[in-house]
Amino acid sequence: MPSFEPVLLARIAKPNSAKLETYRADGGYKALEKALGMPPADVTNMVKDSVLRGRGGAGFPAGLKWTFLPKDHPGPIYLCVNADESEPGTFNNRILMELDPHQLIEGIAIACHAIKSEKAFLYLRYEYGRSYRVLDAAIKECYAAGLLGKNILGKEFNLDIVLHRGAAAYICGEETGLIESLEGKRAWPRIKPPFPAIEGLFRKPTIVNNVETLCCVTHILNRGSEWFKSIGVPPDPNNPRDMGSYGPKLYCISGHVNKPGCVELPLGVTARELIDEHAGGVWKGRKAKAVVPGGISMGFLSADELDTPLDFNGPGKAGCLGLGTAAVVVVDDQTSMVDVLYNCCRFMSHESCGQCTPCREGTAWMTKILERIRAGHGKMEDLDTLTEVAGSMGIIPGTTICGLSDGAAWPVKNAIKKFRGDFEEYIASGRRSVTSAQELMAGAH
């Protein structure tokens, strides 16, 4: 792939990159000025024509989502910014919020103009303390400069942004769980329909967009939809449902690599290129056994699948749930997939909101079965039980309200199908895993 000039991360290494003064010196808020000179419908069509797909995990076209709002609604209409970045291995939104917050605020303002909203709620993961402080300061700068509040840039456009901290719950990344939390209730996802665009926050029409998605909106207004479509992967002509995978994407790389970090590349880079060229290869001279393509809820790629393009279609062709958040986590060949899967199941069991029985009970039982295997008491039939439980929970089999349980099930189905030998050897040998607590006790003696 030829060298790529970053757009979303272009400013993060500059001194005082989070300050309004430096952002405006680099042309900041020119895109908003351009947008406010256009009718809202034209802004929506520009984003729609770019085929910008949501960066939060589902990959739904952002501009198309905006068109679902009821026509001529008297208001209020709300924008909710999903900054509850809780998928393990994901930290791209954090970088954008902490090092270039005005890029996000400008995207929020453009989106609000497009959907005729005068109030946006920025729902931030509680653990992101620095993000909160940086965003709070940036929002205050915008109010002082007349970029938020009444008659922004001398136009008849008003906007208030409310910065709201969540309470450390993974389920709030689901858009209706986020809305319930914003309303002060337990974050139990809602049955859909109605979808948020019809009846969302406070039962009013609501658009929920991800941080990275809204940052892309800023650049689409600056550079045009054709520029955006010049980056990435065009639709597969043999697949009428493929909308393409356009634009730049932030890929997080962590796990067993020499240089973990976040890189911006065109959609469609392969897992192998990410690991070898951008992460310095697998650590300690080892080889990759498995790779998570986009957060643990997406499942696993095997070592034979590392040439899979990481766009909105590639991981699915390799049996994964999708691209997800493009958070790549590398597992080396010295690590047991039993331990990896146990960590995945333990996380999902802890984060299940408990509303749907298949998810609440299924995640707990999968964790207990893996605990028993790791204690040296596993049976071969446990693998079939795990597969059966995983295949019975989620939106795809139609047994739950939201997709958390699909994300909990997918790594189980992937791991046992692609790495069954690991599990069978573990069970047959009666191996026992040493927990971190046991390691600490051993060290004490």
Side-chain angles (χ1 to χ4, degrees), residues 210-337:
N210 168 265
V211 168
E212 187 183 346
T213 307
L214 290 167
C215 288
C216 286
V217 168
T218 300
H219 297 288
I220 290 168
L221 262 291
N222 255 333
R223 300 166 180 251
S225 56
E226 290 305 312
W227 161 81
F228 193 79
K229 291 172 73 174
S230 71
I231 303 167
V233 182
D236 180 355
N238 298 318
N239 182 2
R241 299 181 63 185
D242 182 11
M243 295 172 281
S245 301
Y246 293 119
K249 182 75 189 78
L250 300 186
Y251 292 92
C252 301
I253 315 170
S254 60
H256 298 154
V257 293
N258 288 311
K259 293 194 304 179
C262 179
V263 295
E264 180 181 349
L265 294 166
L267 272 162
V269 64
T270 66
R272 190 182 304 280
E273 181 181 339
L274 269 178
I275 297 166
D276 292 344
E277 296 186 22
H278 300 282
V282 183
W283 72 348
K284 300 179 181 179
R286 298 175 183 174
K287 296 181 179 179
K289 175 186 283 187
V291 172
V292 173
I296 61 171
S297 58
M298 296 298 108
F300 301 100
L301 297 171
S302 68
D304 297 331
E305 297 168 332
L306 296 185
D307 292 313
T308 299
L310 298 181
D311 57 23
F312 287 107
N313 293 315
K317 293 177 181 177
C320 295
L321 189 54
L323 177 65
T325 59
V328 174
V329 183
V330 178
V331 178
D332 71 21
D333 58 359
Q334 302 297 308
T335 303
S336 168
M337 289 304 294

Side-chain angles (χ1 to χ4, degrees), residues 72-263:
D72 302 318
H73 192 277
I77 293 171
Y78 298 118
L79 174 71
C80 289
V81 184
N82 189 343
D84 189 63
E85 187 174 53
S86 303
E87 183 69 35
T90 311
F91 44 87
N92 48 15
N93 292 350
R94 179 180 182 178
I95 292 170
L96 293 171
M97 291 186 290
E98 293 182 359
L99 298 176
D100 202 357
H102 287 284
Q103 179 182 206
L104 169 60
I105 294 170
E106 186 171 12
I108 292 171
I110 293 167
C112 285
H113 170 62
I115 66 175
K116 302 177 183 178
S117 170
E118 294 188 354
K119 195 151 199 174
F121 292 86
L122 205 168
Y123 188 100
L124 180 66
R125 178 182 178 179
Y126 180 81
E127 295 92 335
Y128 280 4
R130 185 184 173 199
S131 298
Y132 174 79
R133 292 187 291 274
V134 171
L135 285 167
D136 185 53
I139 290 169
K140 287 175 179 174
E141 281 186 308
C142 287
Y143 275 109
L147 294 166
L148 288 175
K150 303 289 185 184
N151 300 318
I152 295 170
L153 293 174
K155 306 288 186 180
E156 293 183 5
F157 174 58
N158 308 323
L159 176 62
D160 290 309
I161 296 179
V162 178
L163 183 57
H164 180 93
R165 298 181 80 177
Y170 176 79
I171 191 63
C172 292
E174 198 279 337
E175 61 180 7
T176 60
L178 181 154
I179 288 170
E180 288 285 294
S181 176
L182 260 178
E183 292 181 356
K185 295 181 278 188
R186 181 181 294 182
W188 276 6
R190 296 176 181 174
I191 294 173
K192 299 179 281 285
F195 290 90
I198 303 300
E199 188 177 294
L201 183 64
F202 306 124
R203 303 296 168 181
K204 299 296 182 182
T206 304
I207 293 295
V208 183
N209 282 140
N210 168 265
V211 168
E212 187 183 346
T213 307
L214 290 167
C215 288
C216 286
V217 168
T218 300
H219 297 288
I220 290 168
L221 262 291
N222 255 333
R223 300 166 180 251
S225 56
E226 290 305 312
W227 161 81
F228 193 79
K229 291 172 73 174
S230 71
I231 303 167
V233 182
D236 180 355
N238 298 318
N239 182 2
R241 299 181 63 185
D242 182 11
M243 295 172 281
S245 301
Y246 293 119
K249 182 75 189 78
L250 300 186
Y251 292 92
C252 301
I253 315 170
S254 60
H256 298 154
V257 293
N258 288 311
K259 293 194 304 179
C262 179
V263 295

Side-chain angles (χ1 to χ4, degrees), residues 65-76:
K65 182 189 281 190
W66 295 357
T67 67
F68 293 163
L69 292 166
K71 307 302 179 194
D72 302 318
H73 192 277

